[in-house]
Amino acid sequence: MSHITLVRHGQANTEARDEISYDRLSPLGHQQAAWLGEHLRDSDQFHPRLYCGSLVRHRETAASMGLGDDITQDPRLNELEYFTLSRLLEEQHGIAPPAEREGFAQHMPRVFTAWQNGEITDPPETFTDFETRVRSAIEEIGKGDGPALVVTSGGLIAMVMRLMMGLDIPAMARMALAIMNTSMHRLHPIGDQLSPVLFNAVPHLDHPKRHFAQTHM
C-alpha cells in the first residue's frame, strides 16, 4: 500500500452558477497551481504515479503544475455536481442557494443530507454511487507501487475524509467548505488501511505576499 497526496484544483470561475461555466481555472487558479508545482520540485517531492479527474479544471491544474503528459485521467476522481444538486433542491423543496459564501455553512449540509436521504429526485448520481466510485478509485490507487499524486476537487476530498474517518454529513460538509484551492491532503498506510496524515496544507502559499491566494472558492 502506497501513500496518496490529494490536491484540490486551483481557483475556478467564481462567478459561475452552473457546472459547465465553473469548470475552468481563473488566472489566479493557474498561478496557484504553478506555485504548487514549483514547491514540489524545489522540495524534491517525487510522485512516480500521477492521476487527475477528467474535468477541465483538473487537467488545467495538472498542466499549470508542470506535471507533464504522463498522467492518468480517471472520471471516478471528478467532483460531485453541487450546482445541479442545489438547483434540484430549490426546484423540488423551495430551498434557495445562498447569495453569500457564509450561507453555504448551512446550505451545504442541507444539500448533502437531502441527497443522501434520497430526497432529491433524479440527481446526476446518487450519494451512494458517488461514495462507491470514490472508494473504488482511492482503494485502487492505494494498491499501486510508489507515492501517488491525485489532482481532484474539494467535495471528493471531503468524501475521502468521510470514508477514512467515519464522518457524518455535517462534518463532511464543514470539511468541504474548509478546503483551499491547490491544498494538499495526504493518506498514509497505517496498519492495513490508509489514514489521513495531512490536511489542507498550502506551504506554497504561506509567504505573506501570497496570503491573498489562499482561496476557498
Side-chain angles (χ1 to χ4, degrees):
M1 192 180 297
S2 299
H3 83 248
I4 302 171
T5 300
L6 303 167
V7 174
R8 187 190 175 193
H9 61 79
Q11 184 191 62
N13 177 17
T14 59
E15 302 301 317
R17 294 297 179 267
D18 61 77
E19 306 296 340
I20 294 176
S21 57
Y22 180 71
D23 194 24
R24 65 178 187 271
L25 293 192
S26 68
L28 177 58
H30 283 286
Q31 180 64 78
Q32 292 166 328
W35 280 331
L36 176 56
E38 180 182 87
H39 166 77
L40 292 175
R41 288 186 292 274
D42 289 347
S43 55
D44 293 326
Q45 295 193 41
F46 179 60
H47 299 91
R49 297 185 297 132
L50 304 172
Y51 300 85
C52 72
S54 62
L55 297 175
V56 173
R57 59 189 183 272
H58 298 156
R59 291 183 277 117
E60 288 184 337
T61 298
S64 289
M65 287 175 65
L67 297 183
D69 298 326
D70 190 19
I71 184 166
T72 300
Q73 292 185 35
D74 188 339
R76 293 177 299 174
L77 299 170
N78 287 353
E79 179 65 297
L80 59 96
E81 293 191 24
Y82 189 82
F83 286 109
T84 303
L85 293 169
S86 180
R87 174 178 56 79
L88 291 172
L89 186 68
E90 181 177 18
E91 292 173 355
Q92 297 171 16
H93 299 281
I95 300 173
E100 303 295 334
R101 181 181 180 277
E102 289 71 19
F104 281 97
Q106 288 75 45
H107 187 258
M108 188 172 285
R110 282 185 170 186
V111 173
F112 285 179
T113 298
W115 186 29
Q116 183 190 44
N117 292 341
E119 297 167 0
I120 298 177
T121 303
D122 295 326
E125 64 181 332
T126 66
F127 184 91
T128 299
D129 285 346
F130 177 59
E131 188 174 53
T132 299
R133 71 168 163 91
V134 172
R135 186 194 303 274
S136 69
I138 296 302
E139 287 181 350
E140 183 177 311
I141 294 170
K143 291 176 182 177
D145 294 327
L149 184 74
V150 177
V151 179
T152 182
S153 291
L156 185 139
I157 295 170
M159 173 56 82
V160 171
M161 296 301 171
R162 166 182 162 83
L163 294 171
M164 299 297 106
M165 302 175 69
L167 302 178
D168 61 15
I169 291 298
M172 175 185 166
R174 289 196 301 273
M175 189 158 281
L177 288 167
I179 294 173
M180 288 186 281
N181 296 113
T182 62
S183 55
M184 294 185 290
H185 314 257
R186 185 161 297 134
L187 307 175
H188 199 278
I190 298 177
D192 61 353
Q193 64 183 25
L194 291 167
S195 297
V197 296
L198 183 72
F199 178 76
N200 222 19
V202 286
H204 56 298
L205 305 178
D206 278 345
H207 191 281
K209 290 184 178 179
R210 294 183 182 178
H211 285 178
F212 74 93
Q214 295 182 3
T215 59
H216 295 84
M217 296 182 69

